[in-house]
Every structure is written in structure tokens, then in C-alpha cells.
């Protein structure tokens, strides 16, 4: 649950046989348009994002600084039936709205996450599609890419994860693509779909860390698994030190 946010605004719309709404931050966006969430609307101003994930993401020249657009896609076997249609269970379960609000809470807690601009859904029948538009982080590289180039800041990555865990953030997909570092060494975390805030507990924290370790193993490339695990050990040691400090 989040408290009342005076800057959060909901704009309903109708679109042929469907309908939906845009949830947005009116300090960042004046009057959003449903077309903003269609990459075709942007033409050459939309560039497909290549690294990580299953696709469905674009960098957008937003006019007032670059933005990042992501559609919520299906995974696994259900993706063969529909790659982006989700079963409607009520507006309170719209995935883009949940991530939008979680990002705002995390930013209020002074955590390094992108600024969300607007979240969209469109319902037709029993299903809906969703997307989110947010700040593009400039000049960043993922932990996975940095590890491949033997430039990964393992200690900083461990401290970053501990910082999020200390606030109760249970990341649903903590992997090497979702931890970023910019040229100044500032760490960021991204992609909070289906993530949530919880009371910090050992079980889910360990599950997050094991998921991150597995993703690094998958990206091992020319490096041995033993080397990947040794480097992850540096991350884990820094994580534990930061956790034990309590900040």
C-alpha cells in the first residue's frame, strides 16, 4: 500500500472496442497521450533496446530528454498463445501501474531507480495490455556487460543490493542485466515488474542473490564457472558487510 500522492493523476480513455487509462506524474508530464505507448508513433525516435529481457523495450527521444518505453510481455509457454495479453483481474492488478507506484516509493526512499513518467493499460474483453514510460539512464552499462569486460565493480554491486534489501525490496527478477553502473560509478537498479516491498527476511534475500548468481553463470562466456563464482563471492562479501552495518 502507498499513501496519497497529490502528483499522481489518472487519465481514462476509450479506443475503439477497448478502453484504458494512463497513470502519470503531473510534475513530469503535462498531458499524456495513449499513442505515446506505441513505438510506431515515435517513428525513428524509437530505438529498440537489445540487451537483456525478451524484447518489447525502446529508447525514445521524448523531446524533453530521452525516455525508456517498455511493454509487459508474457514468458514461458503462454507466450506462444499471446506475447503481451494479460488476464484482466481488476485495475489494482495492472502490472504497469504497480511498477509505476513502486518506483515512486523507492525514489521517495532515496534509492537509485529511474524516474517513472507514465504507465498505461488498454483492456479489451478479458485481457489487457500494459506499458510504462520512464527516465532513460544515460551512459550506463549492466553488471553482466561489465563482468564480460572484466570491469565489474563487485563490491559496489553487493552494497547496492544490500541497500535495496535493507528497505525491504524483494526484486522479482534480480539478474545481471538489472544492475547498472554509470560512468561515474553510480549504481542503479531497474525492472521492478512484480517486485514488492516486504519485511526483510533471510529466505527471500537469499533467493534474490541466488538468482543473480545464476544469471552471471549464464553470461559466463569465455570465463569458467569457478571464476564467475569467485567474483560473485566478492559481491556476496560486500553485501554481507553492508547488511551487517545496517545501512
Amino acid at each position: 500500500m502507498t499513501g496519497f500522492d497529490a502528483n499522481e493523476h489518472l487519465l481514462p480513455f476509450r479506443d475503439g472496442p477497448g478502453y484504458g487509462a494512463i497513470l502519470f506524474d503531473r510534475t513530469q508530464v503535462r498531458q499524456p497521450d495513449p499513442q505515446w505507448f506505441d513505438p510506431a508513433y515515435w517513428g525513428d525516435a524509437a530505438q529498440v533496446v537489445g540487451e537483456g529481457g525478451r524484447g518489447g523495450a525502446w529508447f525514445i527521444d521524448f523531446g524533453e530528454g530521452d525516455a525508456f518505453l517498455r511493454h509487459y510481455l508474457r514468458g514461458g509457454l503462454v507466450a506462444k498463445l499471446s506475447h503481451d495479453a494479460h488476464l484482466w483481474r481488476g485495475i489494482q492488478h495492472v502490472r504497469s501501474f504497480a511498477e509505476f507506484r513502486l518506483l515512486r516509493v523507492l525514489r521517495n526512499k532515496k534509492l537509485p531507480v529511474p524516474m517513472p513518467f507514465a504507465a498505461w493499460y488498454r483492456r479489451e474483453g478479458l485481457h489487457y495490455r500494459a506499458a510504462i514510460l520512464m527516465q532513460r539512464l544515460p551512459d550506463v552499462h549492466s553488471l553482466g556487460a561489465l563482468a564480460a569486460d572484466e570491469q565489474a565493480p563487485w563490491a559496489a554491486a553487493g552494497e547496492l543490493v544490500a541497500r535495496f534489501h535493507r528497505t525491504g525490496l524483494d526484486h522479482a527478477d534480480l539478474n545481471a542485466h538489472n544492475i547498472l553502473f554509470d560512468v561515474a560509478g553510480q549504481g542503479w537498479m531497474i525492472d521492478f515488474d512484480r517486485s514488492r516491498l516486504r519485511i526483510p527476511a533471510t529466505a527471500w534475500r537469499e533467493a534474490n542473490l541466488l538468482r543473480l548468481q545464476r544469471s552471471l553463470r549464464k553470461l559466463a562466456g569465455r570465463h569458467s564457472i569457478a571464476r564467475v563464482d569467485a567474483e560473485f563471492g566478492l559481491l556476496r562479501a560486500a553485501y554481507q558487510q553492508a547488511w551487517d552495518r545496517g545501512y
Side-chain angles (χ1 to χ4, degrees):
M1 294 291 291
T2 60
F4 173 73
D5 188 339
N7 293 319
E8 183 180 293
H9 191 69
L10 187 70
L11 177 68
F13 67 86
R14 282 206 164 271
D15 179 11
Y19 67 90
I22 300 172
L23 184 66
F24 65 100
D25 178 352
R26 51 182 154 191
T27 67
Q28 301 298 321
V29 177
R30 293 189 184 91
Q31 188 68 25
D33 189 315
Q35 293 185 92
W36 286 4
F37 300 90
D38 180 356
Y41 169 78
W42 299 100
D44 293 339
Q47 298 179 332
V48 176
V49 178
E51 183 185 356
R54 297 185 295 270
W58 299 263
F59 292 134
I60 305 291
D61 183 356
F62 198 49
E64 298 180 1
D66 286 347
F68 174 75
L69 172 65
R70 190 179 82 241
H71 286 190
Y72 290 76
L73 304 184
R74 305 292 297 273
L77 294 176
V78 293
K80 295 181 179 179
L81 301 175
S82 176
H83 74 291
D84 65 351
H86 307 275
L87 181 65
W88 179 259
R89 297 189 296 136
I91 195 170
Q92 69 273 22
H93 295 291
V94 170
R95 287 165 62 176
S96 56
F97 282 18
E99 184 169 4
F100 176 91
R101 287 177 167 139
L102 179 57
L103 282 167
R104 289 175 65 81
V105 171
L106 295 175
R107 285 185 65 85
N108 286 338
K109 292 178 178 291
K110 309 303 182 185
L111 289 167
V113 301
M115 179 183 298
F117 297 145
W120 164 96
Y121 83 87
R122 179 182 180 276
R123 179 187 178 187
E124 188 171 341
L126 297 177
H127 296 87
Y128 77 97
R129 291 172 170 79
I132 190 167
L133 189 67
M134 68 182 74
Q135 172 193 13
R136 176 183 179 181
L137 301 174
D139 301 318
V140 291
H141 299 281
S142 71
L143 180 64
L146 292 169
D149 291 338
E150 302 182 6
Q151 297 180 9
W154 296 112
E159 291 170 357
L160 180 71
V161 175
R163 183 179 171 189
F164 277 85
H165 280 178
R166 177 63 63 184
T167 65
L169 190 281
D170 180 3
H171 199 294
D173 188 18
L174 187 62
N175 63 56
H177 296 298
N178 291 335
I179 296 174
L180 309 177
F181 288 90
D182 62 25
V183 293
Q186 166 71 52
W188 301 82
M189 195 174 288
I190 61 169
D191 195 358
F192 296 95
D193 180 29
R194 292 177 293 188
S195 299
R196 55 179 171 157
L197 290 172
R198 315 174 62 179
I199 295 173
T202 300
W204 67 256
R205 291 191 296 112
E206 286 296 319
N208 275 199
L209 290 166
L210 288 173
R211 189 180 188 94
L212 177 57
Q213 184 178 20
R214 289 195 299 270
S215 78
L216 287 164
R217 286 179 170 183
K218 290 178 181 178
L219 298 171
R222 67 180 186 277
H223 298 149
S224 69
I225 295 299
R227 174 170 176 165
V228 172
D229 287 348
E231 291 174 335
F232 183 79
L234 301 175
L235 182 155
R236 184 59 189 261
Y239 172 95
Q240 195 60 51
Q241 290 176 2
W243 183 263
D244 291 341
R245 286 198 305 268
Y247 58 88

